[in-house]
């Protein structure tokens, strides 16, 4: 309690300090940029340096469509300004700002045409937060001041086409069917438990986040309609060593720590990073209440749960590159992710008749003493560049292995009219995963406007599960299930890109052959195998009439194959429910069509992206009643159609004031012919933030959002919830190397946030309310050290496995989760 009071007091003092300086004068520089003929120069890039130091940029900006420029300056002093524009010579000007002369108006600056003919140019407008390309949309994390102290999960709320709900569930284009990559290749650690691990990763370690909306033929066809690619800051310049260290603490005693270091030894450049996040029992506290109404009898089952846990998350990675000459590059990386979870809970259950009479009731004490998961992965890439500009050949290998162990015990007491043969249960499960991937890629420009990409790939994936279920006083009910599943995939692809003037196109075709093999060591008569063959086309076209506007139309196909969690046939039984996987699930196809319009301006940047997604025979959780118990499993039963609209806007209201809004809205249409069920619902997400820069290097941000749950598969829907946050941030020391942030979330009202979900059709109906702690006040500190002069290089192509739903990899799919007991 004393710790909470101290943190709250610190927050109040910082707020008072903020208010006391809010009225102070804001320093800045402004001018108008013209060419030699007196015409304005729009979207020219402007760099501002400390006078006498052109190695370190203080801030950057861009002229608006009329050539005007205005930029805040944080500290008094002498500065050098340089404006650049493609095809023109740079112009420079010196200026000084102080408390007595806070505004430097440079009048009109003139640029002249360059007499130098460039063989290749890169047009740079502003260091915009958002960039739109033919296959992806990227958000520049380093250009956002929040990246100094926030974690990656908080930054995702700002990324276009991405939403993060009140339970930290991540969605891309409104769906949880996506994969998470790091530096252009799948990261099994990030895909396993993204909401917890991304809390442990500081945003200062991230260069940009890319939403790959149209993966193309080079990427695997299975498992995803979008890719969330997190690009690390491992191409930062170093001289000796450079990096960041950070720490965080919240009012409940939650802790976080991180470190990221890059160094150079001769021709070898290496990067290592580590993150840790801990939630204790005070923060990881959840309450649930559920009511289930049985359609055949009218009886009602009521359940209450109060659970607490300690959670520890560790994440680390090591990468290195060696460039023996200008044509060859060898890069390698290894990393891992580990978490452990230990908790307990109290439950109270009762079954009553329609008139309210008790049929039976009981209480139970649950314990999860040793749940843990770890993932280890490594990869190596060799890239060779030919003498032809842009032609590369890449050979890659990747190994991934993981272990998941769960232990759950439950003891029943205070039993009334108990008719079940056991008084407790113990479940222990082990899942082992290993994957070997080899890949060859060839990229070759052709003529002046064309580029071909082709390659082959082989994946050998092994899943093993071992599930033991023991029942107290009923040994005849004990079960021990062993299940092995092997998937081998061979793939080849060809892609063609064309860029000329204002037009860009890309078309590709991928072929995949898969062999699936399931084995039951204790029941070989149940063994099965299956061969699958798929052709997967994609196409996109982009028109960019000028620097400010772009239009893109895209079509893509993807395949969803089930992972071990969906396939595992082990039966888990309680007094009221039964759940198991389905070893005979088949793959499903999804087709996506999208259109994106983007406008980039010096003050206002926005994009609008309507889309349609169609799928037949999709994997979905199914539920029914059997012998008075609810049964949950999976089946290829869902025919779905989603029509949605995503949008993003970034607006610089004034020199020191900015605003951003990110959101999406869509309509889900879910149908099953065999089950004769339809479930059509709206869903929506919006997040907005206003940021104000103030004197004394202070910055205040106020943000908030709302998530509307929408349809839950075939059977029901979820209600929405809102959230908000406030942060105060200040930088210290030379070059702003030390940054301190005080942050508060949902700090008014009840500390618990509630989401209700409803089951409205099927053999049983009901509702469930989940409560968790959302109110928090915390302190984040980050320190940057070292200088910048070399880089960790990456091969242009590497292994990318966007595979599986319902396994240990990837983002998962909310529509594919087996329903839980209400």
């Amino acid at each position: 309690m004393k710790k909470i009071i101290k943190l709250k007091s610190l927050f109040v003092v910082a707020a008072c300090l903020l208010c006391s300086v809010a009225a102070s004068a804001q320093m800045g520089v402004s001018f108008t940029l013209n060419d030699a003929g007196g015409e304005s120069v729009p979207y020219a890039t402007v760099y501002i340096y400390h006078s006498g130091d052109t190695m370190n940029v203080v801030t950057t900006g861009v002229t608006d469509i009329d050539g005007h420029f205005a930029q805040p300056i944080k500290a008094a002093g002498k500065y050098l300004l340089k404006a650049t524009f493609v095809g023109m010579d740079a112009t420079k000007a010196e200026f000084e700002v102080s408390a007595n002369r806070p505004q430097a108006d440079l009048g009109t600056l003139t640029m002249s045409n360059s007499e130098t003919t460039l063989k290749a140019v890169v047009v740079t407008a502003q260091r915009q937060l958002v960039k739109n390309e033919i296959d992806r949309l990227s958000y520049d994390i380093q250009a956002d001041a929040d990246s100094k102290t926030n974690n990656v999960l908080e930054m995702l709320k700002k990324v276009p086409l991405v939403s993060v709900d009140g339970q930290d569930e991540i969605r891309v284009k409104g769906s949880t069917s996506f994969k998470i990559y790091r530096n252009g290749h799948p990261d099994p650690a990030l895909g396993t438990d993204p909401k917890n691990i991304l809390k442990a990763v500081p945003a200062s370690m991230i260069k940009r986040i890319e939403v790959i909306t149209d993966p193309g033929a080079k990427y695997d066809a299975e498992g995803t309609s979008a890719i969330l690619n997190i690009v690390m800051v491992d191409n930062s310049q170093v001289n000796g060593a450079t990096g960041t260290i950070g720490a965080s603490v919240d009012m409940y005693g939650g802790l976080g720590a991180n470190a990221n270091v890059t160094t150079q030894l001769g021709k070898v450049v290496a990067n290592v990073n580590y993150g840790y996040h801990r939630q204790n029992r005070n923060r990881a506290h959840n309450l649930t209440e559920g009511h289930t109404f049985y359609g055949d009898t009218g009886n009602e089952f009521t359940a209450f749960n109060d659970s607490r846990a300690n959670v520890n998350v560790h994440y680390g990675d090591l990468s290195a590159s060696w460039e023996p000459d200008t044509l060859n590059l060898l890069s390698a990386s290894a990393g891992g992710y580990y978490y452990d979870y230990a908790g307990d809970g109290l439950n109270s259950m009762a079954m009553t008749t329609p008139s309210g009479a008790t049929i039976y009731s009981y209480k139970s004490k649950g314990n999860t003493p040793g749940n843990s998961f770890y993932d280890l992965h490594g990869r190596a890439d060799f890239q060779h560049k030919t003498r032809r500009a842009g032609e590369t050949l890449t050979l890659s290998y990747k190994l991934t292995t993981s272990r998941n162990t769960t232990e759950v015990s439950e003891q029943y007491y205070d039993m009334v009219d108990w008719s079940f043969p056991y008084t407790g249960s113990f479940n222990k499960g082990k899942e082992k995963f290993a994957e070997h991937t080899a890949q060859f890629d060839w990229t070759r420009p052709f003529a002046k406007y064309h580029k071909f990409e082709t390659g082959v790939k082989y994946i050998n994936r092994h899943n093993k599960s071992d599930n033991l279920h023991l029942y107290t006083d009923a040994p005849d009910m004990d079960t021990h299930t062993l299940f092995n599943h092997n998937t081998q995939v061979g793939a080849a692809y060809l892609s063609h890109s064309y860029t000329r003037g204002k037009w860009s196109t890309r078309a590709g075709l991928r072929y995949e052959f898969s062999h699936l093999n399931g084995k039951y060591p204790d029941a070989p008569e149940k063994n099965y195998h299956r061969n699958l063959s798929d052709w997967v086309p994609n196409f996109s076209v982009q028109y960019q009439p000028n620097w400010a506007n772009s239009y893109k139309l895209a079509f893509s196909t993807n395949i969803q194959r089930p992972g071990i969690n969906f396939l595992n046939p082990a039966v888990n039984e309680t007094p009221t429910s039964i759940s198991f996987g389905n070893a005979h699930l088949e793959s499903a196809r999804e087709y996506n069509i999208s259109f994106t319009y983007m406008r980039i301006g010096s003050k206002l940047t926005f994009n609008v992206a309507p889309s349609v997604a169609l799928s037949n025979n999709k994997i979905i959780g199914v539920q029914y009643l059997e012998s008075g118990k609810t049964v949950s499993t999976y089946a290829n039963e869902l025919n779905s159609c989603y029509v949605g609209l995503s949008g993003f806007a970034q607006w610089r209201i004034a020199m020191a004031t900015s605003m951003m809004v990110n959101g999406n809205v869509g309509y889900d249409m879910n149908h099953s012919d065999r089950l004769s069920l339809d479930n059509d619902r709206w869903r929506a997400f919006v997040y907005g933030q206003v940021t104000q820069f103030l004197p004394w290097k202070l910055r205040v941000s106020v943000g908030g959002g709302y998530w509307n749950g929408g349809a839950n598969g075939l059977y029901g829907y979820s209600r929405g919830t809102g959230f908000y946050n406030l942060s105060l941030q200040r930088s210290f020391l030379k070059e702003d190397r030390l940054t301190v942030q005080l942050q508060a979330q949902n700090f008014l009202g009840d500390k618990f946030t509630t989401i209700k979900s409803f089951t409205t059709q099927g053999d049983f109906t009901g509702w469930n309310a989940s409560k968790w702690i959302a109110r928090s006040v915390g302190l984040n500190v980050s320190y940057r050290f070292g200088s910048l002069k070399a880089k960790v290089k990456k091969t242009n192509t590497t292994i990318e496995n966007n595979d599986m739903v319902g396994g240990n990899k990837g983002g998962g799919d909310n529509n594919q989760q087996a329903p839980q007991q209400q």
Side-chain angles (χ1 to χ4, degrees):
M1 179 59 71
K2 290 182 179 179
K3 187 181 296 183
I4 295 174
I5 293 174
K6 288 180 179 180
L7 282 171
K8 288 185 175 179
S9 299
L10 180 60
F11 188 80
V12 172
V13 170
C16 293
L17 177 63
L18 174 65
C19 295
S20 68
V21 300
S24 300
Q26 174 71 52
M27 291 178 285
V29 60
S30 61
F31 63 88
T32 299
L33 189 63
N34 289 346
D35 62 16
E39 296 293 327
S40 63
V41 181
Y43 306 130
T45 302
V46 179
Y47 302 93
I48 298 176
Y49 308 88
H50 287 292
S51 182
D53 179 13
T54 58
M55 294 297 296
N56 299 297
V57 178
V58 175
T59 185
T60 62
V62 66
T63 59
D64 64 18
I65 197 169
D66 298 316
H68 300 313
F69 178 85
Q71 186 83 359
I73 302 296
K74 293 182 178 180
K78 295 181 179 181
Y79 295 90
L80 172 67
L81 176 150
K82 182 174 76 170
T84 63
F85 190 79
V86 61
M88 306 185 79
D89 290 328
T91 186
K92 300 179 181 180
E94 292 187 343
F95 66 94
E96 182 179 0
V97 291
S98 63
N100 295 328
R101 256 189 88 185
Q103 292 296 323
D105 187 352
L106 305 183
T108 299
L109 303 180
T110 302
M111 301 185 78
S112 59
N113 292 329
S114 175
E115 297 180 359
T116 303
T117 300
L118 301 179
K119 293 182 179 180
V121 297
V122 176
V123 179
T124 303
Q126 185 183 6
R127 191 179 179 186
Q128 293 285 345
L129 290 176
V130 178
K131 181 181 179 182
N132 190 28
E133 300 176 69
I134 192 169
D135 64 337
R136 69 195 62 197
L137 188 149
S138 60
Y139 188 90
D140 190 341
I141 297 296
Q142 291 299 305
D144 190 322
D146 283 338
S147 66
K148 294 182 179 180
T149 50
N150 275 357
N151 60 51
V152 178
L153 189 68
E154 287 298 317
M155 298 301 295
L156 277 176
K157 296 176 181 178
K158 302 182 178 185
V159 178
L161 306 179
V162 179
S163 61
V164 182
D165 65 25
Q167 293 179 299
D168 293 335
E169 191 75 31
I170 304 168
R171 287 174 171 78
V172 177
K173 297 195 297 185
S175 171
T176 53
S177 177
F178 66 93
K179 298 297 173 184
I180 299 180
Y181 281 26
R182 182 177 59 84
N183 292 334
H185 58 85
D187 190 313
L190 289 176
T192 301
D193 187 15
K195 67 181 181 181
N196 279 319
I197 192 170
L198 292 179
K199 289 179 182 178
V201 179
S204 59
M205 292 168 52
I206 309 302
K207 182 178 181 181
R208 66 181 180 273
I209 296 177
E210 299 175 339
V211 183
I212 304 177
T213 53
D214 310 298
K218 187 176 77 172
Y219 297 85
D220 293 346
E222 59 175 313
T224 183
S225 58
I227 295 170
L228 199 61
N229 184 33
I230 298 176
V231 182
M232 310 293 288
V233 189
D234 51 342
N235 64 342
S236 295
Q237 311 277 319
V238 300
N239 180 14
T242 185
T244 60
I245 56 175
S248 62
V249 61
D250 65 32
M251 59 190 290
Y252 301 100
L255 301 173
N258 59 80
N260 178 41
V261 180
T262 303
T263 187
Q264 182 178 13
L265 300 172
K267 292 186 176 182
V268 177
V269 183
N271 172 268
V272 61
N273 60 73
Y274 167 77
Y276 170 73
H277 178 73
R278 173 180 172 81
Q279 282 190 352
N280 60 24
R281 294 171 58 86
N282 294 328
R283 181 63 187 272
H285 182 195
N286 297 279
L287 304 172
T288 60
E289 177 183 354
H291 296 262
T292 303
F293 303 94
Y294 293 74
D296 55 352
T297 62
N299 293 339
E300 177 184 357
F301 179 74
T302 305
F304 297 90
N305 171 266
D306 185 337
S307 62
R308 295 174 181 264
N310 291 316
V311 183
N312 294 283
V313 179
H314 300 264
Y315 169 76
D317 183 79
L318 171 66
S319 59
S321 67
W322 176 51
E323 190 175 22
D325 52 53
T326 58
L327 297 180
N328 298 285
L329 174 65
L330 178 64
S331 64
S333 70
Y337 165 69
Y338 172 83
Y339 80 82
D340 59 73
Y341 172 99
D344 53 67
L346 297 176
N347 307 284
S348 178
M349 321 286 189
M351 182 76 76
T352 59
T353 66
S355 63
T358 299
I359 300 175
Y360 65 84
S361 66
Y362 65 96
K363 295 180 180 179
S364 68
K365 180 180 294 185
N367 187 31
T368 55
N371 290 2
S372 64
F373 174 89
Y374 75 81
D375 173 281
L376 299 174
H377 54 274
R379 67 177 186 87
D381 301 291
F382 173 72
Q383 177 181 278
H384 173 69
K385 295 182 179 180
T386 69
R387 299 295 179 180
R388 179 185 295 272
E391 184 177 22
T392 61
L393 296 92
T394 306
L395 183 63
S396 305
Y397 170 75
K398 182 167 73 78
L399 169 65
T400 301
T401 182
S402 66
R403 300 292 185 272
N404 186 21
T405 301
T406 58
E407 290 186 9
V408 181
S409 64
E410 193 167 13
Q411 297 298 320
Y412 308 116
Y413 64 97
D414 289 350
M415 297 169 286
V416 177
D417 295 328
W418 184 260
S419 60
F420 304 101
Y422 51 91
T423 58
S425 64
F426 174 79
N427 300 329
K428 183 173 184 178
K430 292 183 179 180
E431 291 180 352
K432 298 180 180 181
F433 174 86
E435 180 183 80
H436 300 267
T437 305
Q439 181 171 326
F440 172 76
D441 299 281
W442 178 30
T443 300
R444 188 183 193 277
F446 181 76
K448 188 176 180 181
Y449 309 108
H450 303 266
K451 183 175 73 173
F452 286 97
E453 294 178 278
T454 187
V456 293
K457 186 174 188 176
Y458 171 74
I459 304 173
N460 194 329
R461 180 182 301 126
H462 295 271
N463 284 289
K464 292 185 177 182
S465 66
D466 183 344
N467 295 91
L468 177 66
H469 299 273
L470 305 177
Y471 296 88
T472 307
D473 301 326
D476 56 320
M477 293 184 61
D478 295 348
T479 61
H480 187 197
T481 305
L482 300 175
F483 178 62
N484 300 332
H485 190 268
N486 174 251
T487 300
Q488 298 184 67
V489 180
Y493 73 90
L494 177 65
S495 176
H496 170 255
S497 301
Y498 173 83
T499 302
R500 184 173 185 178
K502 301 174 181 180
W503 290 91
S504 299
T505 63
R506 190 186 64 173
L509 183 65
R510 184 181 185 91
Y511 172 74
E512 291 191 357
F513 174 81
S514 304
H515 175 73
L516 287 71
N517 188 0
K519 292 184 177 180
Y520 299 82
D522 294 337
E525 69 278 2
K526 296 182 179 180
N527 294 350
Y528 68 93
H529 65 86
R530 187 178 300 117
N531 294 323
L532 303 173
S533 182
D534 296 286
W535 292 92
V536 186
N538 67 85
F539 175 78
S540 58
V541 57
Q542 179 171 283
Y543 173 63
Q544 190 168 357
N546 50 52
W547 298 317
N549 298 279
S550 64
Y551 307 82
K552 182 177 69 175
L553 179 67
F555 166 79
S556 63
T557 309
N558 68 85
I559 300 168
Q560 292 186 336
R561 297 189 182 102
I564 186 64
N565 291 347
F566 287 177
L567 294 166
N568 191 348
V571 178
N572 183 21
E573 185 172 357
T574 73
T576 59
S577 66
I578 300 173
S579 61
F580 52 89
N582 182 353
H584 298 282
L585 291 173
E586 299 179 351
S587 60
R589 280 177 171 260
E590 184 175 76
Y591 305 94
N592 297 273
I593 303 174
S594 64
F595 174 80
T596 303
Y597 168 69
M598 187 164 185
R599 166 79 180 182
I600 297 177
S602 61
K603 290 186 177 293
L604 177 64
T605 294
F606 68 91
N607 81 328
V608 180
S611 62
V612 177
L614 301 169
S615 179
N616 294 321
N617 203 34
K618 197 172 183 179
I619 300 172
I620 189 71
V622 297
Q623 57 192 36
Y624 53 91
L625 287 175
E626 186 176 276
S627 302
K629 294 187 177 184
T630 62
V631 181
S632 303
T633 186
Y634 305 95
N636 293 97
E637 290 292 346
L638 181 64
N639 297 326
S640 67
C641 175
Y642 170 75
V643 180
L645 177 67
S646 298
F648 170 86
Q650 170 197 346
W651 180 28
R652 196 175 73 178
I653 303 171
M655 214 164 45
T657 308
S658 63
M659 177 182 180
M660 62 79 59
V661 178
N662 180 35
N664 58 70
V665 61
Y667 192 68
D668 280 304
M669 291 166 277
N670 297 329
H671 172 75
S672 171
D673 291 325
R674 187 182 69 85
L675 299 176
S676 299
L677 292 174
D678 292 279
N679 190 23
D680 303 340
R681 297 280 177 178
W682 287 96
R683 57 170 140 131
F685 169 82
V686 64
Y687 177 78
Q689 179 175 299
V690 177
T691 301
Q692 178 68 47
F693 288 89
L694 298 159
W696 294 5
K697 297 183 180 181
L698 280 167
R699 186 177 67 89
V700 59
S701 295
V702 180
Y706 179 80
W707 170 76
N708 176 31
N712 287 339
L714 287 168
Y715 298 97
Y717 66 96
S718 295
R719 284 184 180 171
T721 185
F723 52 92
Y724 56 92
N725 56 74
L726 172 66
S727 68
L728 298 169
Q729 181 173 308
R730 192 186 192 282
S731 297
F732 301 87
L733 305 182
K734 184 180 179 180
E735 299 178 352
D736 296 338
R737 289 179 177 267
L738 177 65
T739 302
V740 179
Q741 182 192 58
L742 189 62
Q743 188 177 61
Q745 298 177 337
N746 292 22
F747 50 88
L748 301 176
D750 192 353
K751 71 176 182 179
F752 285 94
T753 292
T754 303
I755 284 185
K756 277 191 173 183
S757 59
F758 297 84
T759 302
T760 58
Q761 56 187 1
D763 289 354
F764 56 90
T765 60
W767 60 270
N768 182 279
S770 298
K771 295 184 178 183
W772 70 98
I773 295 176
R775 185 174 69 189
S776 178
V777 176
L779 182 67
N780 305 316
V781 180
S782 175
Y783 177 73
R784 175 173 51 87
F785 60 88
S787 56
L788 309 173
K789 281 186 184 168
K791 63 180 180 179
V792 173
K793 293 193 174 182
K794 298 289 181 180
T795 56
N796 294 337
T797 306
T798 186
I799 290 174
E800 296 128 352
N801 287 350
N802 27 319
D803 56 314
M804 293 188 297
V805 293
N808 288 331
K809 312 288 177 259
D813 191 334
N814 189 60
N815 288 336
Q816 296 162 352
Q817 300 301 312
Q820 298 180 354
Q821 170 67 32
Q822 300 290 329

